[in-house]
Amino acid sequence: MLVVNVVTATAAAAAAGVAAAVSAGARVDHVELGNELYWGEYSAVFPNGTVYSNAANTYAAEIRGDSALQAAVSASGRPFPKVWAIGAHAVGVGGVVASWADELNATLDHALFDGVSLHPYLSLDERLDNSTGKGMFADAATQQAQRAALLSPEGLAGLLGMASYYRIEPIIATLKSDGWDIIVTEVNTIEHAGGGALLSWAHALSTASI
């Protein structure tokens, strides 16, 4: 997968980059129009999912119609890369993220996209330890205590509630209601600067619970 930056790169430049990668022998099966454009500074460019979807529709159409990219893909003997829009990862944080999936459903063009990609930043279920309220950014000692609680019989019983707690299930349901395929393209390992506790195991478990 190649992620193209729709904020700083034109569609023509993105298509040229993908074409160069394909021509160099790279296997490019997917192109994501990102990155996480529902966050912070990007909200000035894309204040909601509708604005992103309108821009993404134009961007995707230009990429699909780029003759140099079409020629590179044809010469490679592989199918044209699937094109994915970026879907917000959780509605719980509110703001722009809260309505992003509904706005994608209303505006994103099915003829131009193969589906919507998600970056589920799910980690420890804070219901197991409410002493900090910091979730994935808690210090190492707290994270290890939460890990022990999560892996206890009682914690495992609550694992399937994780996705609902972080409110990604409604996003998946919303997107699927409009017929979108969904893929997970980013599941991060986060290392807290002070404690150094890696959360790859937590992300794996919580992503699996989706």
Side-chain angles (χ1 to χ4, degrees), residues 39 88-100 121-122 163-171:
W39 273 139
H89 72 273
V91 301
V93 298
V96 172
V97 179
S99 56
W100 193 271
Y121 274 71
L122 308 177
S164 177
Y165 178 68
Y166 283 92
R167 301 184 184 178
I168 198 166
E169 283 181 339
I171 290 176

Side-chain angles (χ1 to χ4, degrees), residues 90-182:
V91 301
V93 298
V96 172
V97 179
S99 56
W100 193 271
D102 289 316
E103 291 158 352
L104 259 60
N105 274 3
T107 315
L108 209 60
D109 190 341
H110 277 271
L112 297 172
F113 288 92
D114 294 279
V116 176
S117 60
L118 295 177
H119 297 179
Y121 274 71
L122 308 177
S123 58
L124 304 171
D125 190 336
E126 292 179 9
R127 292 173 300 176
L128 298 173
D129 184 341
N130 292 319
S131 61
T132 66
K134 296 179 182 178
M136 69 175 75
F137 299 109
D139 58 71
T142 299
Q143 291 173 4
Q144 294 299 337
Q146 289 176 325
R147 178 181 185 274
L150 179 62
L151 296 181
S152 70
E154 295 78 12
L156 286 173
L159 177 60
L160 292 179
M162 262 184 154
S164 177
Y165 178 68
Y166 283 92
R167 301 184 184 178
I168 198 166
E169 283 181 339
I171 290 176
I172 293 173
T174 296
L175 293 170
K176 284 187 174 181
S177 72
D178 200 42
W180 290 110
D181 285 337
I182 298 171

Side-chain angles (χ1 to χ4, degrees), residues 11 33 55-65 83 112-113:
L33 304 192
N57 286 339
T58 300
Y59 209 95
E62 292 184 35
I63 288 178
R64 289 188 179 278
V83 181
L112 297 172
F113 288 92

